[in-house]
Amino acid sequence: QVELVESGGGSVQAGGSLRLSCSASRHSYSAHFMAWFRRAPGKELEGVAVADSAGSTWYTDSTEGRFTVSRDTAKNTLYLQMSGLKPEDTAMYYCAARTAFLPVDARFLDNFYDHWGQGTQVTVSA
């Protein structure tokens, strides 16, 4: 079993920045896709950003241009650099991983991911 552990969440003011990290507990684990999802209070889980093992990345409209996802495959770690944070970015952020290939239209669908972290809270105040 692979455990994903997120870190880096916290409280910031609007316009601020945070960097989230997600490490896989098993160094031999190789995920084809790793992704960030978030759940805001009272809302459904939402995809944020995806990175594949080759370094290609995808973003949802709400975060593109402000967030940057990256992977360090040697460290088996996924990052999310968040800038220009807005109060509506307040949410629990989750890291997810999938071993097998995913078509583009499935990469932001949470039910296709095999492993999940426990989440890290991000709170943005106005």
Side-chain angles (χ1 to χ4, degrees):
Q1 183 67 14
V2 175
E3 182 181 5
L4 301 178
V5 180
E6 302 98 334
S7 61
S11 298
V12 295
Q13 290 189 326
S17 299
L18 281 174
R19 188 194 196 205
L20 306 183
S21 299
C22 169
S23 296
S25 60
R26 200 175 83 206
H27 291 294
S28 61
Y29 174 65
S30 179
H32 196 144
F33 291 92
M34 293 187 77
W36 290 100
F37 288 80
R38 66 184 181 186
R39 179 181 279 121
K43 295 189 177 181
E44 294 186 352
L45 195 63
E46 173 193 24
V48 174
V50 178
D52 71 6
S53 54
S56 296
T57 58
W58 296 266
Y59 299 90
T60 54
D61 291 343
S62 62
T63 60
E64 189 164 19
R66 298 187 300 122
F67 292 6
T68 302
V69 65
S70 61
R71 285 179 69 170
D72 184 334
T73 53
K75 295 182 178 179
N76 231 353
T77 301
L78 180 73
Y79 302 99
L80 185 67
Q81 178 67 49
M82 304 185 293
S83 303
L85 284 162
K86 305 175 182 179
E88 51 264 43
D89 294 318
T90 294
M92 184 72 80
Y93 283 71
Y94 298 92
C95 173
R98 177 177 168 93
T99 308
F101 177 80
L102 272 176
V104 172
D105 57 358
R107 290 169 193 172
F108 287 106
L109 299 179
D110 59 276
N111 55 305
F112 284 98
Y113 285 82
D114 309 307
H115 306 286
W116 289 84
Q118 293 299 308
T120 184
Q121 178 68 37
V122 172
T123 302
V124 185
S125 58

